[in-house]
Amino acid sequence: MMVESASETIRTTPSNQNGVSSLSSQSDGGGGREGGSNGDTNGEISPVDLLHLQQQQALQAARQFLLQQASGLNSPSSNEVKQSPVQVPVSMAMMSPQMITPQQMQQILSPPQLQALLQQQQALMLQQVRLTHTHSGWILSKASSKQLAFQQQLIQMQQLQQQHILNLQRQGLVPLQPTAAMQSLQQAMCPSDLQQLWKEVSGVPSSEEALKQAEGLDLSTNSSNSTSAFPKAASAHIPLHSLPNGQSHTPKRDSHEEHAGSHPLYGHGECKWPGCEALCEDMGQFIKHLNNEHALDDRSTAQCRVQMQVVQQLEIQLAKESERLQAMMTHLHMRPSEPKPFNQPVSTHCDAYPEGLPHPPTSAATPITPLRQGPSVISSSSLHTHSHSHTHAVGPIRRRNSDKYCTPIASELAQNCEFYKNADVRPPFTYASLIRHAILESPDRQLTLNEIYNWFTRKFAYFRRNTATWKNAVRHNLSLHKCFVRVENVKGAVWTVDEVEYQKRRPPKMTGSPTLVKNMISGLGFGSLNASYQAALAESSLSLLNSPPLVTPPSAASLNMLHVGHDDVSSTVEQVNSNGSCSPTLSPQQYSHPVHVKEEPTEVEEDSRPVSLLAGVTHSLPLPSDERDLEEDLPTEELE
DNA sequence: TGTAAAATAAACATGC
DNA sequence: AGCATGTTTATTTTAC
């Protein structure tokens, strides 16, 4: 090794010291065996399943829609829902009726369209009701209140729609007069809410707001903290069940709404008011426009109401789906006896995203932090590890596990990068693997120590929270392993990977060894794994890759372990065309490129935000031995 | 049970 | 002095 010590400096910031105590090493308990408790045993397609399916589809579409609606939509190309019927149907048509309020339809669709939609929905509802009745006994016992509520929702939507159809016919197309829209609005909201809403919607943004236009709400911002991330109109609280029968509830004021930074309704020089795309040069002009065109009048109010309902519906739906997801997770990964806090509000587990924000210490009761993620994909070993280290959530890496027996790091990371990013789960990889991966992932395949640190903290929530020891470990590994080569350049030293050395480091071990595979599987605590079922899962998950990234759940079971190579990355880089961690741009060849030490190490502070979770199909999902249709509903997650 | 690999901890050096 | 970086040694844990 070279022990020279030239004068070099490290330019980067000292990085994060989220000082959390280091944990002494500790042993682990036995191992969480996922219970085989079979909560529900539905084998065939039922009406409820149909409804579920419909809900899923609606939710997916709605999620996109919500993102558009609630985020101020930074992408200039994507227009919001507007009068133009051409724009709408793509997102709207996918949404099931319960996602769209009549008012919104009224705003969006032309009367003929509205009529057609209404008829369609009526037919659908009738069908559903009939099914419900036909199987009423079964449904009641199984689907319970959730479905009933859903039905109710449908019916009420129906009524609202009819009401609005009448209004439409009565007053022509444009609803400029105070109408039932207003009435229903007032019905649904208590006066204080209404006032607040009006104030929020029509109020002139304060000058300070105008000044803060720097960071408009973009998607990432939105997802960072669920409810408060919604734009004002959305965050205006409305009765949880916004049914015309009115409710009293006193929403706590959203403290964010006054300080939302830039105006959520303004972005890319364009007014983001639903149905409006007026161009505004600057904030001042926009404010003028807002006051003129979207002042406090009936129309604005109705539009606001529409928006509220949209958001509310979506939130409700999201809550339900999240709940279901957690139930699934609980069932699949955790002890059956463990009662899960199902009632956790969505907002609490949606805050995982912001990178710098340390999690609130994961309570021991909730081993699986990232509820919003689809940890169905997460490495079995990581889950396993995590699940049985309650008392010390930051237990030691169960190292060999990953490196040798689990999925290669690249595909694993690619698949679960979002999970690891948000979940306080220790990645099942060796430090060496991670370091190598980080370096290879960088544009120049070289990183400073600090950049390596940053990569760790960026990619893994675990390393955001537990900084005490792992940095030492990183340094230790860098020094220890010959495969990491320190290279000096003008500005400092960078670390590179000597691929040859890395390959030498560990001879292939378990290539094609049935015994090892078996051990691996059993070691992961899966019990018996049905190969054919895995294959099916893999296949099905393949299809997920075609889904839009936003709604692609990382729920694909995968089979990597069945073709485990000898080593994590070495096999991965060549096999899997995912350069790991979500940045699918790097070609495999690049990994083997000779390293060029560049003069100025790049700062990879906030690298390209990798979003795709659609990496591999290769993973293993802990499955109960009884084969069940896990794909029944996909965790509709990832509000990146 | 022994061994190797990896994690963990810590001492120490160096430069800024 | 304090910190970041880097090296080295020792011990523990884990899987084989």
XYZ file of all heavy atoms in Angstrom, chain A residues 11-54:
306
model
N -12.286 18.947 0.064
C -13.048 20.153 -0.124
C -14.453 20.057 0.372
O -15.065 21.018 0.724
C -13.089 20.489 -1.592
C -11.902 20.006 -2.295
C -12.207 19.732 -3.720
N -13.215 18.712 -3.902
C -13.081 17.466 -3.489
N -12.030 17.087 -2.808
N -14.013 16.584 -3.731
N -14.890 18.935 0.376
C -16.310 18.837 0.654
C -16.615 19.141 2.103
O -15.757 19.114 2.954
C -16.808 17.425 0.340
O -15.881 16.523 0.908
C -16.877 17.243 -1.132
N -17.815 19.399 2.278
C -18.235 19.737 3.616
C -18.142 18.529 4.522
O -18.175 17.398 4.074
C -19.686 20.214 3.604
O -20.476 19.151 3.075
C -19.831 21.433 2.749
N -18.053 18.810 5.747
C -17.856 17.738 6.718
C -19.000 16.743 6.749
O -18.958 15.819 7.534
C -17.761 18.473 8.047
C -17.437 19.862 7.693
C -18.038 20.110 6.356
N -19.931 16.976 5.959
C -21.046 16.037 5.895
C -21.818 16.025 7.199
O -21.599 16.791 8.096
C -20.566 14.631 5.587
O -20.183 13.997 6.765
N -22.647 15.117 7.228
C -23.611 15.115 8.319
C -23.121 14.330 9.502
O -22.654 13.238 9.412
C -24.886 14.483 7.831
C -24.540 13.451 6.834
O -23.359 13.197 6.610
N -25.521 12.855 6.251
N -23.297 14.907 10.567
C -22.949 14.216 11.793
C -24.192 14.082 12.630
O -24.274 14.616 13.715
C -21.915 15.007 12.553
C -20.588 15.112 11.881
C -19.773 13.863 12.075
O -19.704 13.032 11.195
N -19.179 13.713 13.211
N -25.063 13.395 12.145
C -26.280 13.244 12.934
C -25.930 12.423 14.142
O -26.283 11.293 14.264
C -27.363 12.479 12.191
C -27.371 12.850 10.755
O -26.747 13.838 10.384
N -28.053 12.090 9.960
N -25.231 13.013 14.947
C -24.653 12.214 16.010
C -25.645 11.311 16.686
O -26.519 11.735 17.420
N -25.483 10.131 16.423
C -26.281 9.160 17.148
C -25.300 8.205 17.760
O -24.317 7.821 17.166
C -27.227 8.396 16.218
C -27.874 7.275 16.966
C -28.263 9.346 15.680
N -25.600 7.905 18.909
C -24.647 7.097 19.630
C -24.315 5.838 18.880
O -25.133 5.253 18.202
C -25.242 6.719 20.969
O -26.385 5.940 20.738
N -23.145 5.489 19.000
C -22.780 4.225 18.403
C -23.303 3.123 19.293
O -23.420 3.263 20.487
C -21.271 4.111 18.318
O -20.760 4.112 19.626
N -23.584 2.096 18.673
C -24.088 1.005 19.466
C -23.016 -0.023 19.587
O -22.356 -0.381 18.641
C -25.296 0.376 18.789
C -26.354 1.340 18.372
C -27.655 0.602 18.321
C -26.442 2.501 19.304
N -22.886 -0.455 20.730
C -21.921 -1.516 20.892
C -22.445 -2.742 20.195
O -23.625 -2.898 19.949
C -21.743 -1.800 22.371
O -22.983 -2.120 22.932
N -21.569 -3.546 19.902
C -22.006 -4.739 19.202
C -22.907 -5.536 20.111
O -22.763 -5.547 21.319
C -20.792 -5.580 18.840
O -20.191 -6.019 20.014
N -23.759 -6.169 19.513
C -24.683 -6.929 20.312
C -25.155 -8.128 19.544
O -25.060 -8.194 18.342
C -25.862 -6.088 20.728
C -26.737 -5.716 19.599
C -26.044 -4.743 18.702
O -25.249 -5.123 17.858
N -26.338 -3.488 18.886
N -25.612 -9.004 20.251
C -26.046 -10.215 19.586
C -27.457 -10.037 19.118
O -28.127 -9.061 19.416
C -25.963 -11.374 20.566
O -26.829 -11.113 21.631
N -27.852 -10.955 18.410
C -29.199 -10.848 17.908
C -30.003 -12.009 18.415
O -29.502 -13.044 18.771
C -29.163 -10.900 16.391
C -28.438 -12.116 15.950
O -27.249 -12.264 16.314
O -29.037 -12.944 15.278
N -31.206 -11.772 18.363
C -32.097 -12.831 18.795
C -32.156 -13.907 17.749
O -31.381 -13.936 16.808
N -33.046 -14.704 17.911
C -33.137 -15.820 17.005
C -33.401 -15.357 15.602
O -32.542 -15.172 14.819
N -34.540 -15.119 15.278
C -34.768 -14.682 13.936
C -36.240 -14.627 13.744
O -36.945 -15.530 14.136
N -36.637 -13.576 13.187
C -38.065 -13.448 13.015
C -38.542 -14.399 11.947
O -38.146 -14.305 10.797
N -39.298 -15.250 12.332
C -39.892 -16.119 11.327
C -41.233 -15.560 10.994
O -42.056 -15.313 11.845
C -40.026 -17.517 11.888
C -40.705 -18.447 10.953
C -39.916 -19.692 10.889
N -38.509 -19.377 11.060
C -37.597 -19.868 10.257
N -37.930 -20.624 9.284
N -36.345 -19.596 10.439
N -41.385 -15.354 9.762
C -42.663 -14.782 9.407
C -43.727 -15.812 9.631
O -43.568 -16.977 9.305
C -42.650 -14.314 7.969
C -42.766 -15.426 6.969
C -41.505 -16.234 6.961
O -40.533 -15.776 7.576
O -41.516 -17.302 6.368
N -44.737 -15.358 10.194
C -45.760 -16.306 10.558
C -46.525 -16.812 9.362
O -46.734 -16.122 8.392
N -46.897 -17.967 9.450
C -47.682 -18.503 8.363
C -49.158 -18.283 8.581
O -49.980 -18.928 7.970
N -49.425 -17.419 9.454
C -50.840 -17.190 9.706
C -51.497 -16.699 8.445
O -51.065 -15.752 7.826
C -50.983 -16.138 10.789
O -51.206 -14.907 10.202
N -52.473 -17.340 8.095
C -53.144 -16.909 6.885
C -54.378 -16.132 7.272
O -55.395 -16.677 7.631
C -53.523 -18.114 6.052
C -53.745 -19.289 6.950
O -53.849 -19.106 8.163
N -53.832 -20.448 6.391
N -54.227 -14.897 7.162
C -55.314 -14.052 7.591
C -56.567 -14.281 6.778
O -57.626 -14.603 7.279
N -56.390 -14.156 5.521
C -57.568 -14.318 4.687
C -57.251 -15.380 3.664
O -56.152 -15.602 3.255
C -57.896 -13.017 3.998
C -56.657 -12.451 3.365
O -55.532 -12.848 3.806
O -56.770 -11.672 2.446
N -58.235 -15.997 3.265
C -58.011 -17.079 2.325
C -58.990 -16.962 1.182
O -59.936 -17.714 1.070
C -58.209 -18.426 3.016
O -59.494 -18.398 3.615
C -57.168 -18.657 4.069
N -58.687 -16.023 0.385
C -59.550 -15.893 -0.776
C -58.804 -16.419 -1.980
O -57.755 -15.956 -2.341
C -59.947 -14.446 -0.996
C -58.726 -13.580 -0.989
O -57.706 -13.935 -0.384
N -58.795 -12.483 -1.661
N -59.359 -17.339 -2.557
C -58.664 -17.926 -3.658
C -59.163 -17.466 -5.004
O -58.437 -17.423 -5.975
N -60.380 -17.068 -5.049
C -60.929 -16.805 -6.368
C -61.342 -15.358 -6.495
O -61.410 -14.625 -5.531
C -62.156 -17.680 -6.564
C -63.169 -17.427 -5.434
C -63.952 -18.679 -5.136
O -64.350 -19.310 -6.099
O -64.139 -19.025 -3.977
N -61.598 -15.025 -7.660
C -61.991 -13.643 -7.917
C -63.423 -13.427 -7.458
O -64.327 -14.152 -7.825
C -61.871 -13.336 -9.406
C -60.384 -13.365 -9.781
C -62.497 -12.015 -9.720
C -60.146 -12.990 -11.207
N -63.545 -12.464 -6.691
C -64.860 -12.169 -6.157
C -65.240 -10.753 -6.552
O -64.423 -9.992 -7.041
C -64.808 -12.277 -4.638
O -63.994 -11.242 -4.149
N -66.440 -10.436 -6.319
C -66.836 -9.041 -6.568
C -65.985 -8.082 -5.784
O -65.652 -7.002 -6.265
C -68.287 -9.012 -6.076
C -68.756 -10.410 -6.190
C -67.559 -11.280 -5.955
N -65.668 -8.476 -4.644
C -64.831 -7.588 -3.858
C -63.489 -7.405 -4.519
O -62.923 -6.314 -4.553
C -64.653 -8.164 -2.446
C -63.702 -7.288 -1.652
C -65.996 -8.234 -1.762
N -63.005 -8.480 -5.048
C -61.738 -8.359 -5.744
C -61.839 -7.397 -6.907
O -60.931 -6.629 -7.186
C -61.281 -9.723 -6.236
C -60.902 -10.613 -5.073
O -60.454 -10.056 -4.055
O -61.063 -11.830 -5.182
N -62.950 -7.509 -7.538
C -63.147 -6.585 -8.653
C -63.110 -5.158 -8.169
O -62.479 -4.298 -8.771
C -64.483 -6.885 -9.334
C -64.494 -8.171 -10.155
C -65.893 -8.414 -10.701
C -63.473 -8.102 -11.269
N -63.791 -4.972 -7.114
C -63.780 -3.620 -6.582
C -62.382 -3.210 -6.188
O -61.954 -2.090 -6.430
C -64.718 -3.546 -5.363
C -66.183 -3.585 -5.703
C -67.004 -3.522 -4.427
C -66.550 -2.433 -6.619
N -61.713 -4.144 -5.604
C -60.332 -3.843 -5.224
C -59.533 -3.437 -6.430
O -58.813 -2.460 -6.412
C -59.717 -5.071 -4.582
C -59.986 -5.121 -3.121
N -59.331 -5.974 -2.280
C -60.840 -4.421 -2.351
C -59.763 -5.798 -1.056
N -60.688 -4.872 -1.077
N -59.676 -4.243 -7.408
C -58.917 -3.973 -8.615
C -59.228 -2.582 -9.118
O -58.340 -1.812 -9.484
C -59.280 -5.018 -9.655
C -58.361 -5.035 -10.874
C -56.930 -5.304 -10.413
C -58.817 -6.084 -11.845
N -60.465 -2.308 -9.111
C -60.866 -0.994 -9.592
C -60.242 0.089 -8.733
O -59.754 1.096 -9.223
C -62.378 -0.889 -9.541
C -62.891 0.319 -10.274
C -64.382 0.463 -10.081
O -64.964 -0.224 -9.255
N -64.994 1.345 -10.823
